[in-house]
Amino acid sequence: MKALVAGGNTVLGKYVVRHLIDHGYQTFAMSQQPEQDNPLAIPLAAKDQQLSGKFDVVICCARPVIAPYAQESQSIHAAPLMSDLERFAKPHAAKIFTSGIEVFGCAQEVVADDLCFDPLTAAESEVAALEKAMRAGWTALFVPTLSYGGPDCPIRTAIMQRGSPRIPVLIPASGHYYAAHLDDLAEFHINIAEQNDREPVYFLAERQCYSPEDLADLLVRHGWAEGVTCLSLPSFLKRYGPEVLALETMHVTVPISDAFAPKHHLPKYLAQTRFASVPDHPK
C-alpha cells in the first residue's frame, strides 16, 4: 500500500508520516522545500509522472497556520497543490485534507452537513481550496489550534519563541481553545484512511476546551510558564494584531466526532511532562 503526504515535514505531517510507516505503508512525502523533506519518507516531486495514479492514500497536511500556538506560518498555493495530489491518487483512493482554517474553520455556524465559513484574512485562500476538495470527494479533518506532544511540542515552541516566561492574556477574553495530542491526530488519519464508509467532515479535539485564562493558568501551575501578563484590548492589538485577536476572542462550539477517541488529555500531559528548552523531533 502506498501513501503520499503533502507537508510531511510540518509539525502534524511528521507524526502522520511516522504512523503510516508504523502501519506498514510505503510512505512518500512532498513538501514545498525539498531540502527539508522528512527523512523517514521517500521524497516525491510534484512533476513526477511515473507514480501518477499509484497511491492508495493521499493526505494533505501542507496548510497555512495562523494560530498563536502554531509553528508553521508559511502560506501554500493550494489550488496547484490539490491538483497535483489528485493526479497521484488512485481512482478510489482515500483522500484526506487536514484543514488549516484554524479553530475549526473560523465558522459562524458549524454544522457538519452545512458548513458556513467566515475565514480570517490569512486563511481566505484555503477556504476555496477546502470547499473544492470536499466537492471532489476529499474527507476534511478539522484539527484544533492547540496541538501538543513530543519533544517538539508546539506549545513549548510557542513559549520559547515569545522570549518571555510569562503568558500574555487578553482581559476580558471571550474565546476558547480546543486541544489534541499530535499522536492522537495522526492515528486518526490512518483509521479514517482504512475505512470504506468515511464521512465528509470530522472535527477532532478533546472534549474539554479552555479559555485563554484557563490555558495560561494550566501552563503556570505545571511549570511551563512563570506567570501571566494581563493585556487590555489596545495593548493586545498593538502587540499581536487583529488576526490573533480574532482567534483569541472566537467562541465556536463544534460537533466533535464521536469516532475520535483520544488517548491523551492536555492537563495530564502538562502535569507529567517536564518543560524543556531545546526542541527536537518526535521519536
Side-chain angles (χ1 to χ4, degrees):
M1 298 277 283
K2 286 186 173 63
L4 171 61
V5 180
N9 206 38
T10 62
V11 172
L12 177 57
K14 293 175 185 177
Y15 283 78
V16 171
V17 165
R18 190 189 67 193
H19 279 255
L20 284 165
I21 293 172
D22 288 347
H23 282 74
Y25 286 87
Q26 185 183 20
T27 305
F28 294 70
M30 186 170 65
S31 67
Q32 286 184 283
Q33 300 173 307
E35 69 277 6
Q36 297 180 10
D37 280 337
N38 189 321
L40 297 179
I42 303 167
L44 178 68
K47 61 183 178 182
D48 191 307
Q49 298 293 328
Q50 295 183 341
L51 290 174
S52 294
K54 301 295 186 183
F55 286 91
D56 305 279
V57 177
V58 178
I59 299 173
C60 181
C61 289
R63 71 277 193 274
V65 175
I66 54 179
Y69 285 93
Q71 284 182 297
E72 297 95 18
S73 59
Q74 74 277 7
S75 62
I76 60 171
H77 299 291
L81 173 62
M82 298 305 293
S83 178
D84 288 333
L85 294 178
E86 282 278 5
R87 177 167 51 83
F88 285 116
K90 287 182 176 180
H92 299 290
K95 300 182 295 185
I96 298 172
F97 187 104
T98 304
S99 175
I101 304 174
E102 297 301 331
V103 196
F104 298 109
C106 301
Q108 294 174 318
E109 300 176 14
V110 183
V111 180
D113 295 332
D114 184 24
L115 295 176
C116 178
F117 291 116
D118 181 23
L120 301 179
T121 302
E124 282 180 346
S125 62
E126 198 186 10
V127 172
L130 173 60
E131 292 177 333
K132 182 177 180 180
M134 292 171 66
R135 290 194 297 270
W138 288 70
T139 298
L141 301 188
F142 286 81
V143 299
T145 299
L146 193 61
S147 60
Y148 65 93
D152 59 347
C153 176
I155 299 176
R156 184 185 66 181
T157 300
I159 293 172
M160 292 169 56
Q161 288 176 342
R162 282 198 173 102
S164 170
R166 301 183 66 85
I167 303 298
V169 175
L170 171 66
I171 301 295
S174 60
H176 62 209
Y177 290 109
Y178 287 90
H181 194 286
L182 289 162
D183 274 327
D184 288 330
L185 295 172
E187 187 67 22
F188 192 81
H189 280 70
I190 283 76
N191 293 341
I192 290 301
E194 295 180 347
Q195 290 183 8
N196 293 322
D197 55 345
R198 290 178 290 274
E199 297 177 10
V201 177
Y202 294 86
F203 295 92
L204 313 184
E206 297 163 16
R207 295 287 171 176
Q208 183 177 355
C209 56
Y210 308 89
S211 71
E213 292 174 87
D214 293 337
L215 178 59
D217 287 343
L218 270 177
L219 294 171
V220 172
R221 186 186 317 154
H222 297 302
W224 285 63
E226 292 183 2
V228 177
T229 299
C230 297
L231 297 175
S232 65
L233 178 58
S235 297
F236 192 95
L237 271 171
K238 183 177 180 180
R239 184 177 298 190
Y240 297 107
E243 289 171 1
V244 175
L245 175 67
L247 289 168
E248 194 83 353
T249 57
M250 189 172 297
H251 193 93
V252 178
T253 301
V254 299
I256 298 172
S257 172
D258 290 334
F260 185 63
K263 298 177 182 177
H264 303 82
H265 298 281
L266 180 61
K268 186 175 181 180
Y269 172 83
L270 293 175
Q272 294 182 344
T273 307
R274 184 176 63 87
F275 181 84
S277 60
V278 181
D280 202 346
H281 296 288
K283 298 179 181 179

